[in-house]
């Protein structure tokens, strides 16, 4: 059974903290509007409303996990004792944030063609096509990110739940706020 002194890391790890003073990348791209060099109230873009009152601005309340959900997650974590769960949560969070997307096959073929062209221009030592292919494959292996899918077992699923439950809940909550259908007058 979960106690009040249960794992408190569930509510603190895996979040973006305001104390880091790192602005999200979306702020850097916020000023880019196609066809408008500078967004102001004179351009008609905001229909003469101050930006803070534009209908697209969401004023969301602070989202917290429901107490029942947090308690249930802590009970599940306590029932399945995972050794060093705090370290595993931090390691998984770091891994997920540092992960790149897999390279598309077309991009891989383009890189291979570029490397082959480069090798042929710089060196005449490739007497056979097989040696050239081996050199290109070796260079691709050294320079291409090796994406691998995660295979979730019971232990990794519990660590993922501890690391991402609050972030996933906040993302789904925001999506529901964005698509909220206004009440029709009756």
């Amino acid at each position: 059974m979960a106690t009040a002194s249960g794992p408190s890391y569930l509510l603190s790890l895996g979040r973006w903290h305001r104390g880091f003073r790192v602005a999200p990348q979306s702020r850097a791209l916020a000023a880019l509007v196609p066809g408008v060099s500078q967004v102001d109230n004179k351009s008609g873009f905001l229909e003469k409303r101050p930006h803070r009152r534009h209908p697209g601005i969401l004023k969301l309340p602070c989202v917290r996990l429901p107490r029942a959900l947090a308690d249930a997650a802590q009970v599940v974590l306590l029932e399945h004792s995972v050794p060093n769960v705090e370290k595993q949560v931090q390691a998984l969070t770091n891994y997920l944030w540092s992960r790149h997307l897999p390279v598309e096959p077309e991009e891989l073929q383009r890189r291979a063609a570029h490397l082959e062209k480069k090798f042929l221009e710089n060196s005449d030592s490739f007497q056979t096509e097989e040696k050239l292919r081996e050199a290109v494959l070796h260079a691709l292996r050294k320079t291409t990110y090796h994406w691998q899918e995660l295979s979730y077992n019971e232990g990794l699923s519990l660590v993922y739940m501890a690391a991402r439950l609050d972030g996933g809940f906040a993302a789904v909550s925001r999506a529901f706020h964005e698509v909220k259908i206004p009440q029709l007058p009756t």
Side-chain angles (χ1 to χ4, degrees):
M1 178 166 288
T3 63
S5 63
S8 61
Y9 52 82
L10 181 65
L11 301 177
S12 64
L13 290 177
R15 293 184 185 164
W16 178 78
H17 292 283
R18 183 173 269 162
F20 290 143
R21 302 277 183 215
V22 177
Q25 187 179 11
S26 61
R27 285 190 187 169
L29 302 176
L32 299 178
V33 177
V36 179
S37 61
Q38 183 178 1
V39 177
D40 58 2
N41 287 338
K42 297 175 187 171
S43 67
F45 178 70
L46 296 175
E47 297 175 0
K48 298 186 180 185
R49 293 183 202 164
H51 179 61
R52 65 183 174 276
R53 291 192 187 159
H54 192 273
I57 301 296
L58 292 176
K59 295 180 182 175
L60 298 177
C62 182
V63 178
R64 293 187 184 265
L65 281 178
R67 191 80 217 134
L69 181 59
D71 289 343
Q74 287 180 354
V75 166
V76 168
L77 285 173
L78 289 173
E79 285 177 356
H80 302 86
S81 60
V82 180
N84 298 325
V85 72
E86 292 95 350
K87 289 181 181 179
Q88 289 186 28
V89 163
Q90 191 62 46
L92 180 65
T93 301
N94 291 342
Y95 174 73
L96 291 175
W97 275 101
S98 66
R99 205 167 182 211
H100 298 284
L101 291 174
V103 179
E104 295 291 328
E106 296 83 22
E107 174 66 16
L108 198 58
Q109 288 176 351
R110 189 187 64 74
R111 288 182 189 178
H114 176 71
L115 284 171
E116 183 177 352
K117 182 179 174 184
K118 184 177 172 183
F119 284 149
L120 287 175
E121 288 175 357
N122 293 340
S123 177
D124 296 329
S125 64
F126 299 108
Q127 298 169 351
T128 64
E129 194 172 312
E130 185 64 33
K131 286 184 180 181
L132 177 63
R133 183 177 299 140
E134 287 177 12
V136 168
L137 287 176
H138 180 70
L140 278 176
R141 285 187 196 108
K142 287 177 73 173
T143 60
T144 303
Y145 179 76
H146 301 289
W147 186 89
Q148 294 178 346
E149 64 182 37
L150 288 173
S151 64
Y152 287 95
N153 54 17
E154 185 177 356
L156 186 57
S157 299
L158 290 171
V159 171
Y160 185 85
M161 179 191 67
R164 297 295 308 144
L165 181 64
D166 56 350
F169 182 81
V172 170
S173 175
R174 180 179 175 93
F176 283 152
H177 274 85
E178 288 180 7
V179 298
K180 182 172 67 172
I181 300 172
Q183 294 289 335
L184 296 175
T186 56

